[in-house]
Amino acid sequence: MIQSLLIANRGEIACRIIRTARAMGIRTIAVYSDADANALHVRMADDAVHIGASAARESYLVGEKLIDVARVTGAEAIHPGYGFLSENAEFAQRVISAGITWVGPNPASITAMGLKDAAKQLMQQAGVPVTPGYMGSNQDAGFLAIQADGIGYPVLIKAVAGGGGKGMRLVERPEDFADALASCRREAAASFGNDHVLIEKYIQRPRHIEVQVFGDSHGQIVHLFERDCSLQRRHQKVIEEAPAPGMDAETREALCAAAVRAAKAVDYVGAGTIEFIADASEGLRADRIWFMEMNTRLQVEHPVTEAITGVDLVEWQLRIASGERLPMTQDQLAINGWAMEARLYAEDPEKGFLPSIGKLEHLVLPDSLRVDTGVEQGGEVSPFYDPMIAKLIAHGTTRDEAIARLEAGIDDTEVWPVKTNAGFLGNLLRHPEFLSGDVDTGLIGRDGDELVHPIEAEVDELTEVAALLAASPGEGPWSGALGFRLNAAPHAVARLRDDAGTVYEVSLSEVNAAEPAREILAFTGGFARRYTLDRHEGAHGGVAGDGTILSPMPGRIIAVDVTAGQAVTKGQKLLTLEAMKMEHTLTAPFDGVVAELNAVAGAQVQVEALLVRIQDAAS
């Protein structure tokens, strides 16, 4: 068994690996960048070594630094986690050549499955059905447009080296193809160093079903059943569950058998995931499920598989890397209950899900769920990495029970002042289509506006907040505030204002003004509100937007689509900002004219830098 392990990653997955390694008596070595000097994974590990500047390309993506740290600290093995170098075959080979155990598949397997086009060709040879599309080497833009026409719109443009939703564009009309291709290639080059793409038929009612597979070095491969990851936003998974709703035994057997064939085709060793796309227009059927790609690493959503099988997949990884056989046979594996995982992100759903960075001054995560996290109260969400705060995992006897437990856990989640998607997640769990199990990857895109809308503040919440904010008699915007009595009939009225500018008039029947507060934080259904007393008569509603477009975070401008003085319409693209490994499109808030333009392609900008100012066309 491995005795010492270097974890070539950070955040939540580094903490997750440390927990299992510690339980197995394995010494752990963490690595960290400047931005992560005080991170939780650094403090949890037995040893920690600084590896460079905050930018991942100067720290977590520098393979030689990681191998050097392993040598210096005496680490016998390297676990790459997910992301960064986890699916980099060259790095895996360098680790092995250095005499260090690689906790992952053979480099040849990573290479075989690393490029989507080559992987699909290999799967066809292995008898695994694949989605219709173009996977050839001709990357001429005009030629690709012709292929898209032949496949038939809508189509997906996908980076052959892509993953995690990056380097992927849905194109619904021929006239949008060129721009989408250019944007996809830019993002692919920045994220993976490879701008080659494939074109794939877009399934109109798609579901994303994946199968967890595991192989050992003795030739044995098993599956650990399927997960449904259909709830996605811009091709990034939001809520995952296992098993897949609507999956019958016959379809499951065919799907999982195809996944095992796929893994055997590349002599797979370790943890991997075979991802499929299903046409759910007539329910889940084996003849309407096609191979998409293989992830040759541990998946972010692996905890739901652990929950329904009782298996610790990280422990299996470490045992297999040590040369042991698979701990269980296929016959010994079974599904127990239902599990769901929600990804809690530092992002602002009401502002197009732009990442939210800053200090986690207030952080409460539910103790009723399994919570995998890499942060704690007082920590910081950095602009340099993925903005995940935690994974919330619920397990129940039935799907309804798992949903109820996850929803209750989200209700107990409190984060401030960093914005999160917690309320959005709660709304998703209450969505009628999700509750019925009738989900597809387009659900969030169809109902996004409703899903980001905060639920109404409850009367009890407003009353309690008003009481806590109560000043001494005669002060503040009160009506009949003299002579408060506990449990008296309502005779005082408070005016409260929340962060959105909404004003509430609250009648008070129970007030304790001994310790008045200046502001109150309230959390309901995952939504956070900060209340203060409204001291301005008639100040109902929020402040109207003035048309200033500020940079939501530090980043680089990669495209400017307007000029000074140009007329624009509401929703029109103004510019594209690259930040946190993603492209973010900033659009016009209303019809108007570009009155001021401070954006230049290629320029680096800081958070809240004024980029564009739109003047209302009516003014």
PDB file of all heavy atoms in Angstrom, residues 355-386:
ATOM      1  N   PRO A 355     -19.250  35.019 -11.872  1.00  0.00           N
ATOM      2  CA  PRO A 355     -18.602  34.619 -10.623  1.00  0.00           C
ATOM      3  C   PRO A 355     -18.550  35.765  -9.620  1.00  0.00           C
ATOM      4  O   PRO A 355     -18.395  36.924  -9.986  1.00  0.00           O
ATOM      5  CB  PRO A 355     -17.199  34.209 -11.076  1.00  0.00           C
ATOM      6  CG  PRO A 355     -17.371  33.816 -12.501  1.00  0.00           C
ATOM      7  CD  PRO A 355     -18.417  34.739 -13.044  1.00  0.00           C
ATOM      8  N   SER A 356     -18.699  35.416  -8.355  1.00  0.00           N
ATOM      9  CA  SER A 356     -18.646  36.390  -7.271  1.00  0.00           C
ATOM     10  C   SER A 356     -17.420  36.065  -6.427  1.00  0.00           C
ATOM     11  O   SER A 356     -17.276  34.946  -5.947  1.00  0.00           O
ATOM     12  CB  SER A 356     -19.916  36.312  -6.424  1.00  0.00           C
ATOM     13  OG  SER A 356     -19.883  37.215  -5.352  1.00  0.00           O
ATOM     14  N   ILE A 357     -16.546  37.014  -6.280  1.00  0.00           N
ATOM     15  CA  ILE A 357     -15.309  36.767  -5.540  1.00  0.00           C
ATOM     16  C   ILE A 357     -15.291  37.602  -4.269  1.00  0.00           C
ATOM     17  O   ILE A 357     -16.043  38.559  -4.129  1.00  0.00           O
ATOM     18  CB  ILE A 357     -14.069  37.070  -6.398  1.00  0.00           C
ATOM     19  CG1 ILE A 357     -14.061  38.547  -6.821  1.00  0.00           C
ATOM     20  CG2 ILE A 357     -14.016  36.165  -7.608  1.00  0.00           C
ATOM     21  CD1 ILE A 357     -12.810  38.947  -7.585  1.00  0.00           C
ATOM     22  N   GLY A 358     -14.425  37.231  -3.340  1.00  0.00           N
ATOM     23  CA  GLY A 358     -14.282  38.003  -2.116  1.00  0.00           C
ATOM     24  C   GLY A 358     -14.219  37.117  -0.892  1.00  0.00           C
ATOM     25  O   GLY A 358     -14.170  35.886  -0.978  1.00  0.00           O
ATOM     26  N   LYS A 359     -14.223  37.750   0.266  1.00  0.00           N
ATOM     27  CA  LYS A 359     -14.080  37.051   1.539  1.00  0.00           C
ATOM     28  C   LYS A 359     -15.412  36.449   1.980  1.00  0.00           C
ATOM     29  O   LYS A 359     -16.463  37.083   1.880  1.00  0.00           O
ATOM     30  CB  LYS A 359     -13.565  38.007   2.612  1.00  0.00           C
ATOM     31  CG  LYS A 359     -13.204  37.332   3.932  1.00  0.00           C
ATOM     32  CD  LYS A 359     -12.575  38.321   4.905  1.00  0.00           C
ATOM     33  CE  LYS A 359     -12.174  37.632   6.204  1.00  0.00           C
ATOM     34  NZ  LYS A 359     -11.556  38.587   7.161  1.00  0.00           N
ATOM     35  N   LEU A 360     -15.358  35.241   2.491  1.00  0.00           N
ATOM     36  CA  LEU A 360     -16.538  34.558   3.017  1.00  0.00           C
ATOM     37  C   LEU A 360     -16.702  34.953   4.486  1.00  0.00           C
ATOM     38  O   LEU A 360     -16.348  34.202   5.399  1.00  0.00           O
ATOM     39  CB  LEU A 360     -16.386  33.043   2.863  1.00  0.00           C
ATOM     40  CG  LEU A 360     -16.341  32.541   1.419  1.00  0.00           C
ATOM     41  CD1 LEU A 360     -15.746  31.138   1.352  1.00  0.00           C
ATOM     42  CD2 LEU A 360     -17.722  32.564   0.795  1.00  0.00           C
ATOM     43  N   GLU A 361     -17.238  36.143   4.683  1.00  0.00           N
ATOM     44  CA  GLU A 361     -17.356  36.665   6.041  1.00  0.00           C
ATOM     45  C   GLU A 361     -18.332  35.854   6.883  1.00  0.00           C
ATOM     46  O   GLU A 361     -18.180  35.749   8.104  1.00  0.00           O
ATOM     47  CB  GLU A 361     -17.790  38.129   5.990  1.00  0.00           C
ATOM     48  CG  GLU A 361     -16.766  39.040   5.320  1.00  0.00           C
ATOM     49  CD  GLU A 361     -17.241  40.467   5.202  1.00  0.00           C
ATOM     50  OE1 GLU A 361     -18.314  40.786   5.753  1.00  0.00           O
ATOM     51  OE2 GLU A 361     -16.553  41.269   4.549  1.00  0.00           O
ATOM     52  N   HIS A 362     -19.355  35.314   6.234  1.00  0.00           N
ATOM     53  CA  HIS A 362     -20.338  34.483   6.933  1.00  0.00           C
ATOM     54  C   HIS A 362     -20.568  33.242   6.087  1.00  0.00           C
ATOM     55  O   HIS A 362     -20.972  33.328   4.928  1.00  0.00           O
ATOM     56  CB  HIS A 362     -21.651  35.263   7.108  1.00  0.00           C
ATOM     57  CG  HIS A 362     -22.732  34.480   7.803  1.00  0.00           C
ATOM     58  ND1 HIS A 362     -22.803  34.358   9.168  1.00  0.00           N
ATOM     59  CD2 HIS A 362     -23.779  33.767   7.305  1.00  0.00           C
ATOM     60  CE1 HIS A 362     -23.852  33.613   9.491  1.00  0.00           C
ATOM     61  NE2 HIS A 362     -24.460  33.243   8.379  1.00  0.00           N
ATOM     62  N   LEU A 363     -20.305  32.073   6.661  1.00  0.00           N
ATOM     63  CA  LEU A 363     -20.457  30.820   5.922  1.00  0.00           C
ATOM     64  C   LEU A 363     -20.970  29.743   6.859  1.00  0.00           C
ATOM     65  O   LEU A 363     -20.296  29.370   7.821  1.00  0.00           O
ATOM     66  CB  LEU A 363     -19.128  30.387   5.309  1.00  0.00           C
ATOM     67  CG  LEU A 363     -19.131  29.035   4.573  1.00  0.00           C
ATOM     68  CD1 LEU A 363     -20.040  29.089   3.356  1.00  0.00           C
ATOM     69  CD2 LEU A 363     -17.724  28.627   4.180  1.00  0.00           C
ATOM     70  N   VAL A 364     -22.174  29.280   6.593  1.00  0.00           N
ATOM     71  CA  VAL A 364     -22.764  28.163   7.336  1.00  0.00           C
ATOM     72  C   VAL A 364     -23.212  27.130   6.321  1.00  0.00           C
ATOM     73  O   VAL A 364     -24.034  27.427   5.448  1.00  0.00           O
ATOM     74  CB  VAL A 364     -23.965  28.610   8.191  1.00  0.00           C
ATOM     75  CG1 VAL A 364     -24.600  27.407   8.878  1.00  0.00           C
ATOM     76  CG2 VAL A 364     -23.539  29.655   9.213  1.00  0.00           C
ATOM     77  N   LEU A 365     -22.675  25.920   6.414  1.00  0.00           N
ATOM     78  CA  LEU A 365     -23.048  24.831   5.520  1.00  0.00           C
ATOM     79  C   LEU A 365     -23.816  23.781   6.317  1.00  0.00           C
ATOM     80  O   LEU A 365     -23.562  23.585   7.505  1.00  0.00           O
ATOM     81  CB  LEU A 365     -21.801  24.223   4.873  1.00  0.00           C
ATOM     82  CG  LEU A 365     -21.008  25.200   3.991  1.00  0.00           C
ATOM     83  CD1 LEU A 365     -19.694  24.569   3.529  1.00  0.00           C
ATOM     84  CD2 LEU A 365     -21.834  25.650   2.798  1.00  0.00           C
ATOM     85  N   PRO A 366     -24.773  23.106   5.703  1.00  0.00           N
ATOM     86  CA  PRO A 366     -25.687  22.223   6.451  1.00  0.00           C
ATOM     87  C   PRO A 366     -24.989  21.020   7.069  1.00  0.00           C
ATOM     88  O   PRO A 366     -24.190  20.351   6.407  1.00  0.00           O
ATOM     89  CB  PRO A 366     -26.704  21.794   5.391  1.00  0.00           C
ATOM     90  CG  PRO A 366     -25.990  21.949   4.085  1.00  0.00           C
ATOM     91  CD  PRO A 366     -25.079  23.126   4.255  1.00  0.00           C
ATOM     92  N   ASP A 367     -25.306  20.760   8.325  1.00  0.00           N
ATOM     93  CA  ASP A 367     -24.734  19.583   8.979  1.00  0.00           C
ATOM     94  C   ASP A 367     -25.615  18.348   8.789  1.00  0.00           C
ATOM     95  O   ASP A 367     -25.287  17.259   9.256  1.00  0.00           O
ATOM     96  CB  ASP A 367     -24.489  19.841  10.467  1.00  0.00           C
ATOM     97  CG  ASP A 367     -25.749  20.292  11.211  1.00  0.00           C
ATOM     98  OD1 ASP A 367     -26.855  20.162  10.650  1.00  0.00           O
ATOM     99  OD2 ASP A 367     -25.622  20.775  12.349  1.00  0.00           O
ATOM    100  N   SER A 368     -26.742  18.520   8.079  1.00  0.00           N
ATOM    101  CA  SER A 368     -27.645  17.394   7.825  1.00  0.00           C
ATOM    102  C   SER A 368     -27.255  16.616   6.574  1.00  0.00           C
ATOM    103  O   SER A 368     -27.840  15.565   6.286  1.00  0.00           O
ATOM    104  CB  SER A 368     -29.082  17.913   7.667  1.00  0.00           C
ATOM    105  OG  SER A 368     -29.162  18.853   6.599  1.00  0.00           O
ATOM    106  N   LEU A 369     -26.295  17.123   5.795  1.00  0.00           N
ATOM    107  CA  LEU A 369     -25.881  16.507   4.539  1.00  0.00           C
ATOM    108  C   LEU A 369     -24.399  16.173   4.577  1.00  0.00           C
ATOM    109  O   LEU A 369     -23.652  16.685   5.415  1.00  0.00           O
ATOM    110  CB  LEU A 369     -26.137  17.464   3.365  1.00  0.00           C
ATOM    111  CG  LEU A 369     -27.547  18.002   3.152  1.00  0.00           C
ATOM    112  CD1 LEU A 369     -27.545  18.967   1.968  1.00  0.00           C
ATOM    113  CD2 LEU A 369     -28.533  16.872   2.915  1.00  0.00           C
ATOM    114  N   ARG A 370     -23.975  15.364   3.641  1.00  0.00           N
ATOM    115  CA  ARG A 370     -22.544  15.249   3.372  1.00  0.00           C
ATOM    116  C   ARG A 370     -22.141  16.521   2.626  1.00  0.00           C
ATOM    117  O   ARG A 370     -22.756  16.873   1.617  1.00  0.00           O
ATOM    118  CB  ARG A 370     -22.234  14.021   2.522  1.00  0.00           C
ATOM    119  CG  ARG A 370     -20.792  14.015   2.004  1.00  0.00           C
ATOM    120  CD  ARG A 370     -20.467  12.778   1.204  1.00  0.00           C
ATOM    121  NE  ARG A 370     -19.208  12.929   0.488  1.00  0.00           N
ATOM    122  CZ  ARG A 370     -18.637  11.976  -0.256  1.00  0.00           C
ATOM    123  NH1 ARG A 370     -19.216  10.795  -0.366  1.00  0.00           N
ATOM    124  NH2 ARG A 370     -17.491  12.205  -0.888  1.00  0.00           N
ATOM    125  N   VAL A 371     -21.126  17.191   3.109  1.00  0.00           N
ATOM    126  CA  VAL A 371     -20.653  18.427   2.491  1.00  0.00           C
ATOM    127  C   VAL A 371     -19.179  18.259   2.153  1.00  0.00           C
ATOM    128  O   VAL A 371     -18.352  18.048   3.040  1.00  0.00           O
ATOM    129  CB  VAL A 371     -20.844  19.641   3.423  1.00  0.00           C
ATOM    130  CG1 VAL A 371     -20.256  20.894   2.779  1.00  0.00           C
ATOM    131  CG2 VAL A 371     -22.321  19.851   3.724  1.00  0.00           C
ATOM    132  N   ASP A 372     -18.847  18.337   0.883  1.00  0.00           N
ATOM    133  CA  ASP A 372     -17.455  18.326   0.435  1.00  0.00           C
ATOM    134  C   ASP A 372     -17.081  19.756   0.075  1.00  0.00           C
ATOM    135  O   ASP A 372     -17.671  20.350  -0.837  1.00  0.00           O
ATOM    136  CB  ASP A 372     -17.289  17.428  -0.793  1.00  0.00           C
ATOM    137  CG  ASP A 372     -17.352  15.946  -0.442  1.00  0.00           C
ATOM    138  OD1 ASP A 372     -17.705  15.614   0.705  1.00  0.00           O
ATOM    139  OD2 ASP A 372     -17.057  15.107  -1.326  1.00  0.00           O
ATOM    140  N   THR A 373     -16.128  20.319   0.796  1.00  0.00           N
ATOM    141  CA  THR A 373     -15.758  21.708   0.564  1.00  0.00           C
ATOM    142  C   THR A 373     -14.259  21.901   0.762  1.00  0.00           C
ATOM    143  O   THR A 373     -13.595  21.077   1.385  1.00  0.00           O
ATOM    144  CB  THR A 373     -16.531  22.649   1.512  1.00  0.00           C
ATOM    145  OG1 THR A 373     -16.235  24.008   1.184  1.00  0.00           O
ATOM    146  CG2 THR A 373     -16.160  22.396   2.973  1.00  0.00           C
ATOM    147  N   GLY A 374     -13.769  23.005   0.222  1.00  0.00           N
ATOM    148  CA  GLY A 374     -12.364  23.359   0.394  1.00  0.00           C
ATOM    149  C   GLY A 374     -12.205  24.729   1.011  1.00  0.00           C
ATOM    150  O   GLY A 374     -11.108  25.290   0.991  1.00  0.00           O
ATOM    151  N   VAL A 375     -13.298  25.282   1.544  1.00  0.00           N
ATOM    152  CA  VAL A 375     -13.254  26.614   2.146  1.00  0.00           C
ATOM    153  C   VAL A 375     -13.924  26.578   3.509  1.00  0.00           C
ATOM    154  O   VAL A 375     -14.610  25.624   3.864  1.00  0.00           O
ATOM    155  CB  VAL A 375     -13.950  27.664   1.255  1.00  0.00           C
ATOM    156  CG1 VAL A 375     -13.252  27.790  -0.084  1.00  0.00           C
ATOM    157  CG2 VAL A 375     -15.430  27.324   1.056  1.00  0.00           C
ATOM    158  N   GLU A 376     -13.750  27.650   4.265  1.00  0.00           N
ATOM    159  CA  GLU A 376     -14.398  27.806   5.550  1.00  0.00           C
ATOM    160  C   GLU A 376     -14.620  29.286   5.805  1.00  0.00           C
ATOM    161  O   GLU A 376     -14.113  30.137   5.060  1.00  0.00           O
ATOM    162  CB  GLU A 376     -13.549  27.187   6.661  1.00  0.00           C
ATOM    163  CG  GLU A 376     -12.151  27.735   6.751  1.00  0.00           C
ATOM    164  CD  GLU A 376     -11.267  26.952   7.709  1.00  0.00           C
ATOM    165  OE1 GLU A 376     -11.811  26.125   8.465  1.00  0.00           O
ATOM    166  OE2 GLU A 376     -10.052  27.170   7.696  1.00  0.00           O
ATOM    167  N   GLN A 377     -15.388  29.599   6.829  1.00  0.00           N
ATOM    168  CA  GLN A 377     -15.682  30.998   7.129  1.00  0.00           C
ATOM    169  C   GLN A 377     -14.386  31.768   7.352  1.00  0.00           C
ATOM    170  O   GLN A 377     -13.486  31.310   8.042  1.00  0.00           O
ATOM    171  CB  GLN A 377     -16.571  31.087   8.372  1.00  0.00           C
ATOM    172  CG  GLN A 377     -17.006  32.509   8.697  1.00  0.00           C
ATOM    173  CD  GLN A 377     -18.168  32.547   9.669  1.00  0.00           C
ATOM    174  OE1 GLN A 377     -19.286  32.209   9.317  1.00  0.00           O
ATOM    175  NE2 GLN A 377     -17.907  32.948  10.906  1.00  0.00           N
ATOM    176  N   GLY A 378     -14.315  32.951   6.747  1.00  0.00           N
ATOM    177  CA  GLY A 378     -13.102  33.756   6.821  1.00  0.00           C
ATOM    178  C   GLY A 378     -12.183  33.540   5.639  1.00  0.00           C
ATOM    179  O   GLY A 378     -11.252  34.315   5.422  1.00  0.00           O
ATOM    180  N   GLY A 379     -12.445  32.469   4.858  1.00  0.00           N
ATOM    181  CA  GLY A 379     -11.654  32.218   3.659  1.00  0.00           C
ATOM    182  C   GLY A 379     -12.071  33.140   2.528  1.00  0.00           C
ATOM    183  O   GLY A 379     -12.901  34.035   2.690  1.00  0.00           O
ATOM    184  N   GLU A 380     -11.513  32.890   1.368  1.00  0.00           N
ATOM    185  CA  GLU A 380     -11.756  33.795   0.253  1.00  0.00           C
ATOM    186  C   GLU A 380     -11.993  33.021  -1.039  1.00  0.00           C
ATOM    187  O   GLU A 380     -11.358  31.996  -1.287  1.00  0.00           O
ATOM    188  CB  GLU A 380     -10.560  34.731   0.076  1.00  0.00           C
ATOM    189  CG  GLU A 380     -10.809  35.868  -0.893  1.00  0.00           C
ATOM    190  CD  GLU A 380      -9.753  36.966  -0.791  1.00  0.00           C
ATOM    191  OE1 GLU A 380      -9.031  36.988   0.215  1.00  0.00           O
ATOM    192  OE2 GLU A 380      -9.669  37.777  -1.717  1.00  0.00           O
ATOM    193  N   VAL A 381     -12.932  33.510  -1.832  1.00  0.00           N
ATOM    194  CA  VAL A 381     -13.133  32.988  -3.184  1.00  0.00           C
ATOM    195  C   VAL A 381     -12.235  33.803  -4.102  1.00  0.00           C
ATOM    196  O   VAL A 381     -12.399  35.011  -4.245  1.00  0.00           O
ATOM    197  CB  VAL A 381     -14.600  33.105  -3.624  1.00  0.00           C
ATOM    198  CG1 VAL A 381     -14.750  32.608  -5.060  1.00  0.00           C
ATOM    199  CG2 VAL A 381     -15.505  32.318  -2.685  1.00  0.00           C
ATOM    200  N   SER A 382     -11.276  33.125  -4.705  1.00  0.00           N
ATOM    201  CA  SER A 382     -10.261  33.793  -5.508  1.00  0.00           C
ATOM    202  C   SER A 382     -10.706  33.919  -6.961  1.00  0.00           C
ATOM    203  O   SER A 382     -11.449  33.082  -7.464  1.00  0.00           O
ATOM    204  CB  SER A 382      -8.960  32.978  -5.435  1.00  0.00           C
ATOM    205  OG  SER A 382      -8.085  33.319  -6.479  1.00  0.00           O
ATOM    206  N   PRO A 383     -10.233  34.936  -7.664  1.00  0.00           N
ATOM    207  CA  PRO A 383     -10.545  35.053  -9.095  1.00  0.00           C
ATOM    208  C   PRO A 383      -9.730  34.111  -9.964  1.00  0.00           C
ATOM    209  O   PRO A 383      -9.941  34.053 -11.174  1.00  0.00           O
ATOM    210  CB  PRO A 383     -10.198  36.514  -9.399  1.00  0.00           C
ATOM    211  CG  PRO A 383      -9.113  36.850  -8.438  1.00  0.00           C
ATOM    212  CD  PRO A 383      -9.470  36.107  -7.167  1.00  0.00           C
ATOM    213  N   PHE A 384      -8.818  33.363  -9.360  1.00  0.00           N
ATOM    214  CA  PHE A 384      -7.886  32.560 -10.158  1.00  0.00           C
ATOM    215  C   PHE A 384      -8.387  31.156 -10.471  1.00  0.00           C
ATOM    216  O   PHE A 384      -7.861  30.502 -11.365  1.00  0.00           O
ATOM    217  CB  PHE A 384      -6.542  32.462  -9.432  1.00  0.00           C
ATOM    218  CG  PHE A 384      -5.849  33.783  -9.257  1.00  0.00           C
ATOM    219  CD1 PHE A 384      -5.908  34.443  -8.037  1.00  0.00           C
ATOM    220  CD2 PHE A 384      -5.176  34.379 -10.312  1.00  0.00           C
ATOM    221  CE1 PHE A 384      -5.276  35.668  -7.879  1.00  0.00           C
ATOM    222  CE2 PHE A 384      -4.553  35.601 -10.163  1.00  0.00           C
ATOM    223  CZ  PHE A 384      -4.604  36.250  -8.935  1.00  0.00           C
ATOM    224  N   TYR A 385      -9.400  30.679  -9.726  1.00  0.00           N
ATOM    225  CA  TYR A 385      -9.801  29.279  -9.887  1.00  0.00           C
ATOM    226  C   TYR A 385     -11.311  29.154  -9.988  1.00  0.00           C
ATOM    227  O   TYR A 385     -12.048  30.122  -9.867  1.00  0.00           O
ATOM    228  CB  TYR A 385      -9.277  28.449  -8.701  1.00  0.00           C
ATOM    229  CG  TYR A 385      -7.836  28.739  -8.360  1.00  0.00           C
ATOM    230  CD1 TYR A 385      -7.499  29.334  -7.149  1.00  0.00           C
ATOM    231  CD2 TYR A 385      -6.817  28.457  -9.267  1.00  0.00           C
ATOM    232  CE1 TYR A 385      -6.178  29.628  -6.844  1.00  0.00           C
ATOM    233  CE2 TYR A 385      -5.497  28.745  -8.979  1.00  0.00           C
ATOM    234  CZ  TYR A 385      -5.176  29.341  -7.759  1.00  0.00           C
ATOM    235  OH  TYR A 385      -3.880  29.639  -7.476  1.00  0.00           O
ATOM    236  N   ASP A 386     -11.741  27.912 -10.198  1.00  0.00           N
ATOM    237  CA  ASP A 386     -13.164  27.605 -10.259  1.00  0.00           C
ATOM    238  C   ASP A 386     -13.850  28.100  -8.983  1.00  0.00           C
ATOM    239  O   ASP A 386     -13.351  27.873  -7.878  1.00  0.00           O
ATOM    240  CB  ASP A 386     -13.349  26.095 -10.390  1.00  0.00           C
ATOM    241  CG  ASP A 386     -14.780  25.702 -10.609  1.00  0.00           C
ATOM    242  OD1 ASP A 386     -15.196  25.657 -11.772  1.00  0.00           O
ATOM    243  OD2 ASP A 386     -15.486  25.450  -9.616  1.00  0.00           O
TER     244      ASP A 386
END
